[in-house]
Amino acid sequence: AQTVTQSQPEMSVQEAETVTLSCTYDTSESNYYLFWYKQPPSRQMILVIRQEAYKQQNATENRFSVNFQKAAKSFSLKISDSQLGDTAMYFCAFGVNQGGSEKLVFGKGTKLTVNP
Amino acid sequence: DAGITQSPRHKVTETGTPVTLRCHQTENHRYMYWYRQDPGHGLRLIHYSYGVKDTDKGEVSDGYSVSRSKTEDFLLTLESATSSQTSVYFCAISASGHGAFFGQGTRLTVV
């Protein structure tokens, strides 16, 4: 069974600074996907970034980037130039393609607060 | 928006009563999922569907049943609600490798 661990229950950062959220996972699969989701106080789950395990290049989406270390089973999220709107819960998730279905396994989340 | 609507958005019910949550999608996705979110647990998969009338259990399926009579609708039923089922419930659709797209969530309180 796959597991996802987020070791930082809470973090805070000053506006305009950079913050890194950690995620590790455990799996015996070789082909899988990793995701970071953002959940603001509105409760909506928003996909921030995705990474395909077979790609060595780290994914980036504007101010969001990941550091994917496949051998170490590590998938951290870096947020650059933090903004007040980045305040949210962040969830790391793991998925395996099984005949088109992709059941996700989530970490417990990291609560990020961006301070003015 | 991924075209996923959950109803109701909020519900308070009494212990022992049946409850049905509805998920409606307009994307014609084959795969649909129900997750629950609890503090300290992240999101956990309850049930999922891979087509009309085709469903299977997830990690925390005890006490829940699902049905899918049309591609666009996926229902989650609590046959006899208990306080441990107080949670936020999310419906999702996914295309493999692209991640899941979630509805707005339903906050269910069992008193």
Side-chain angles (χ1 to χ4, degrees):
Chain A
Q2 290 86 12
T3 59
V4 177
T5 302
Q6 293 180 248
S7 59
Q8 304 149 316
E10 293 192 37
M11 295 188 72
S12 63
V13 64
Q14 293 298 121
E15 196 175 6
E17 293 187 348
T18 295
V19 64
T20 298
L21 281 57
S22 300
C23 173
T24 59
Y25 59 94
D26 189 25
T27 184
S28 57
E29 302 283 345
S30 57
N31 191 18
Y32 51 87
Y33 301 89
L34 294 160
F35 308 91
W36 278 98
Y37 283 87
K38 171 184 177 181
Q39 186 180 43
S42 67
R43 198 169 71 198
Q44 182 68 46
M45 291 289 289
I46 302 166
L47 179 62
V48 173
I49 198 165
R50 59 186 280 273
Q51 174 78 43
E52 294 145 329
Y54 63 86
K55 288 189 176 179
Q56 292 188 336
Q57 186 173 5
N58 289 323
T60 62
E61 288 287 345
N62 301 314
R63 298 182 296 106
F64 298 89
S65 61
V66 299
N67 183 4
F68 174 48
Q69 301 289 328
K70 190 171 184 179
K73 296 180 180 174
S74 172
F75 182 61
S76 60
L77 175 70
K78 185 171 81 172
I79 305 174
S80 304
D81 186 25
S82 297
Q83 301 176 359
L84 297 178
D86 295 333
T87 292
M89 284 290 291
Y90 287 82
F91 293 96
C92 179
F94 172 100
V96 176
N97 181 356
Q98 295 175 317
S101 127
E102 188 173 70
K103 297 172 283 185
L104 296 181
V105 176
F106 287 83
K108 296 181 179 181
T110 295
K111 182 179 181 181
L112 177 66
T113 302
V114 180
N115 299 307
Chain B
D1 287 348
I4 308 169
T5 304
Q6 292 183 230
S7 58
R9 296 291 310 278
H10 302 89
K11 186 171 182 66
V12 180
T13 193
E14 292 186 351
T15 299
T17 61
V19 177
T20 295
L21 308 183
R22 180 176 182 254
C23 178
H24 178 80
Q25 61 143 331
T26 59
E27 305 297 314
N28 201 35
H29 270 270
R30 179 181 175 188
Y31 297 96
M32 298 183 73
Y33 308 80
W34 278 106
Y35 292 87
R36 62 177 286 175
Q37 181 181 17
D38 304 291
H41 288 279
L43 280 76
R44 294 177 292 174
L45 181 66
I46 306 171
H47 280 279
Y48 67 102
S49 170
Y50 47 96
V52 173
K53 298 192 189 323
D54 292 323
T55 64
D56 205 350
K57 296 177 180 180
E59 177 189 356
V60 290
S61 60
D62 287 350
Y64 302 95
S65 62
V66 290
S67 65
R68 192 166 178 201
S69 60
K70 298 185 291 185
T71 298
E72 57 266 35
D73 291 327
F74 191 31
L75 304 181
L76 177 70
T77 297
L78 291 65
E79 301 291 346
S80 177
T82 67
S83 59
S84 65
Q85 295 176 311
T86 292
S87 187
V88 177
Y89 292 85
F90 283 97
C91 176
I93 60 176
S94 74
S96 184
H98 296 275
F101 296 93
F102 291 84
Q104 321 96 304
T106 296
R107 180 175 294 279
L108 176 67
T109 303
V110 183
V111 298

